[in-house]
Amino acid sequence: MTEPENRCRLVLIVADIADADEQAKIVADALKGGDVASVIVPQYGLDDGTFQKHAEKLVPLIQDAGAAALIAGDSRVAGRAKADGLHLSGNAEALSEAIDKHAPKLIVGGGNAADRHHALEIGEVRPDYIFFGKLDGDIKPEAHPKNLALGEWWASMIEIPCIVMGGTDPASALAVAETGAEFVAMRLAVFGEPARAPSVVAEINALLDEKAPRFED
């Protein structure tokens, strides 16, 4: 699969599905739809042991599809499941500790940057990426205006890549791309109707291929 290096790429956030086999099948199907840079696996309400089982099913199939598998929150689960990275939604201090401990063996990124001040604090610890929004923050069809504004400001001046949370409408990916952000995160837009997940991934990639601004080398 060729990667579109010069435009915003798609990041998937796995939906909250209690059955590990069903969740794995839906994610595997979605990844057949086209280019996905990485997949973030949240814990949701699962206990640690159950989350471990979900992660061990998901990580290999995400990697087989050519995407990076990022476990949200739990470095032990990330290590045991042989994931590519760790997504943290804590502050700069939490990210800094995780980077010291796990980078460069693991990708470490995330952050809970609700404003410019906190974003710059996170930037100072040099994560692999910063995330604007919440993993389950797709509650409206469009991306949150505050996250779009933060993404645009960040992308215009900071080299660390940013991921901006999209909305429940697949077309919201384009609004994110237009900020200059390197990645758009999608959850319910792709997984809201599991049977349509592969075609939605294809649709988002086609939209970005056609209309997303190109990065300059």
Side-chain angles (χ1 to χ4, degrees), residues 156-179:
S156 69
M157 54 177 271
I158 312 274
E159 282 187 8
I160 296 166
C162 69
I163 304 175
V164 175
M165 188 71 207
T168 57
D169 182 345
S172 64
L174 184 57
V176 171
E178 285 168 346
T179 68

Side-chain angles (χ1 to χ4, degrees), residues 70-125:
L70 308 176
I71 299 295
D74 195 321
S75 60
R76 285 166 307 184
V77 170
R80 289 185 199 128
K82 300 185 170 55
D84 301 287
L86 190 57
H87 176 93
L88 297 173
S89 44
N91 57 17
E93 193 180 348
L95 266 173
S96 179
E97 284 175 17
I99 289 164
D100 288 347
K101 202 166 172 186
H102 303 293
K105 196 168 84 114
L106 292 179
I107 297 165
V108 180
N112 187 4
D115 55 47
R116 292 184 176 193
H117 172 71
H118 286 103
L120 290 172
E121 282 187 344
I122 288 165
E124 282 174 9
V125 306

